[in-house]
DNA sequence: GCGGTTGATTTTGTATACAAACTGATATTC
DNA sequence: GAATATCAGTTTGTATACAAAATCAACCGC
């Protein structure tokens, strides 16, 4: 996903990382669950060394955390931590909104509107999974509109880390349609000529979104 | 510095990371320079294993990059990339200034002023290395004043990545004294009651700083 | 003389072995 | 009976050894 290197520069390590990410995404590995190096090593049929490197890589990404006592665990966040994380994310997203609004090229606007259309369509079909993907794509297109790869990366990172928690708040079709509605409003503000309107719009959007997330993660 | 764990949970690895960061920050290791695992291992009197972990950690942080051919190198950026990176950093720092200004506790203010005093003292002694360290500590204390560990981490990351380039602009004692002057002005604005003043002050500070950096990396 | 190919040497990735640190629990003493 | 000390069993961190991959260069063929 973020490793565009096609060269198999240490294939096993990346295979293990990918497999673990898959397990976490599918819920096979629960937040807080401990990972045992030796067990993983024999599961993948390799020695502890590459497992170790994969684990330390995922820890650096924030997917895993070094446990208080021993070993590494799947990251889990308290309500307070979630709040702080979302606060940080809100700041980043606001920056994105401002830059995107200031720099918006025709091409970027087109991609944002395409993504928005995909969201609306998925919501109309009540296709939850498609909606989540389209929603991510929509926000990504806003990040891209900043024309700054470092900010894009930052924002994407937060989106990855908060993904599992944000997903929880999209259950019924009403949720999806409400989300689309919220995005229509947001985009109108980003496309407005007034940068402050764009920033405030994004702030509001994020606040609404996070309030629902926190409510769903009580 | 950023690892508050007092437990020596893999002390050697962190020692090596810290030493390398130090070398990079002070310019002892130049951007683009290649790092040899074996050489580092014997330099630190350890085996290749912990060196390897340190290197992969720093690579994950973006301080080092996997070289095209072999080994890892100190990250180097084109002028354009530097500009984008500094733009992103400016945005983050501005967010920090706003939050710090809004939330400033007495303790936080005290730590910021201590760091500032250390800067001034190092500049007066014309101790370039000490000044660089104190300067980092000063900005870190502002990050910490945001009371948000995720934002702190973000800002620290950028500081690490841009360290080697920023170091270049601090050569003569005049540079150091000018920098101190600039910080006096900045802190006065952050300590003001007006959040917008704080943000604008940080923006100005960063812009000035980056203009000099870009001039020094032509 | 130039280009391709092979070979030697360095370098990286993985495995394994070993030592130290930590966990949990049982036993012993006050 | 409670608290502390000690000990066994894991588990992690580091070292070393080994194998595969890649770079550089010399050499051979054209």
């Amino acid at each position: 996903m973020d490793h565009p290197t096609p060269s198999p520069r240490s294939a096993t390590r990346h295979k293990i990382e990918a497999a673990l990410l898959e397990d976490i995404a599918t819920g096979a590995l629960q937040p807080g669950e401990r990972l045992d190096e030796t067990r993983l090593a024999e599961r993948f049929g390799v020695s502890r060394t590459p497992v170790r490197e994969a684990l330390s890589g995922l820890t650096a990404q924030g997917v895993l955390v070094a446990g208080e006592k021993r070993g590494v665990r799947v990251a889990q966040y308290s309500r307070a931590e979630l709040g702080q994380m979302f606060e940080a994310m809100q700041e980043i997203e606001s920056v994105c909104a401002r830059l995107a609004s200031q720099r918006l090229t025709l091409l970027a606007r087109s991609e944002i509107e395409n993504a928005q259309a995909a969201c609306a369509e998925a919501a109309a079909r009540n296709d939850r999974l498609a909606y989540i993907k389209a929603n991510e794509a929509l926000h990504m297109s806003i990040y891209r509109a900043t024309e700054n790869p470092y900010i894009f990366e930052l924002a994407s990172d937060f989106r990855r880390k908060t993904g599992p928690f944000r997903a929880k708040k999209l259950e019924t079709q009403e949720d999806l349609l409400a989300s689309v509605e919220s995005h229509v409003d947001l985009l109108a503000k980003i496309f407005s000529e007034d940068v402050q309107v764009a920033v405030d719009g994004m702030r509001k959007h994020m606040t609404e979104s996070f309030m629902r997330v926190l409510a769903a993660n009580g």
Side-chain angles (χ1 to χ4, degrees), chain A:
Chain A
M1 191 81 68
D2 48 345
H3 284 287
T5 63
S7 65
R9 189 187 189 89
S10 186
T12 47
R13 171 182 166 167
H14 285 67
K15 271 188 56 168
I16 296 169
E17 282 193 16
L20 290 178
L21 280 173
E22 180 81 11
D23 284 353
I24 293 170
T26 61
L29 278 173
Q30 289 290 319
E33 200 168 334
R34 186 165 165 283
L35 293 164
D36 184 48
E37 294 179 1
T38 313
R39 217 173 285 285
L40 289 171
E42 60 190 39
R43 164 178 160 192
F44 290 107
V46 298
S47 85
R48 259 178 59 224
T49 310
V51 172
R52 207 139 212 295
E53 303 216 336
L55 257 41
S56 102
L58 293 175
T59 301
Q61 283 180 43
V63 180
L64 306 178
V65 292
E68 293 312 306
K69 15 194 261 189
R70 226 173 225 204
V72 300
R73 323 184 85 87
V74 179
Q76 63 182 348
Y77 301 98
S78 70
R79 248 175 106 70
E81 286 170 327
L82 271 184
Q84 290 180 316
M85 200 151 159
F86 284 151
E87 177 179 84
M89 186 170 173
Q90 186 183 41
E91 296 296 343
I92 302 295
E93 295 265 348
S94 298
V95 168
C96 287
R98 176 158 46 76
L99 293 178
S101 168
Q102 284 173 342
R103 299 177 177 178
L104 197 66
T105 65
L106 230 48
L107 179 62
R109 174 162 182 167
S110 160
E111 294 200 355
I112 291 173
E113 290 186 336
N114 281 346
Q116 160 74 342
C119 283
E121 193 250 0
R125 283 210 330 270
N126 194 22
D127 186 342
R128 184 171 166 272
L129 248 60
Y131 183 81
I132 290 174
K133 278 199 63 170
N135 186 26
E136 303 300 290
L138 171 58
H139 278 270
M140 293 283 193
S141 70
I142 296 175
Y143 305 156
R144 200 162 2 245
T146 64
E147 303 277 346
N148 186 311
Y150 299 97
I151 293 179
F152 176 87
E153 191 60 31
L154 237 52
S156 305
D157 272 357
F158 271 108
R159 200 145 271 277
R160 263 196 292 275
K161 280 197 272 202
T162 58
F165 306 100
R166 283 181 292 102
K168 280 192 188 172
K169 67 160 181 178
L170 296 171
E171 286 298 340
T172 72
Q173 186 166 25
E174 279 74 50
D175 293 337
L176 303 189
L177 292 171
S179 179
V180 169
E181 199 64 31
S182 179
H183 283 127
V184 169
D185 185 53
L186 169 64
L187 292 190
K189 286 172 177 164
I190 288 181
F191 293 157
S192 84
E193 305 281 301
D194 190 334
V195 169
Q196 194 56 45
V197 167
V199 172
D200 291 344
M202 180 61 93
R203 271 216 139 65
K204 175 161 159 282
H205 177 67
M206 289 287 116
T207 302
E208 285 174 7
S209 172
F210 295 158
M211 291 303 280
R212 280 203 293 269
V213 170
L214 284 173
N217 286 280

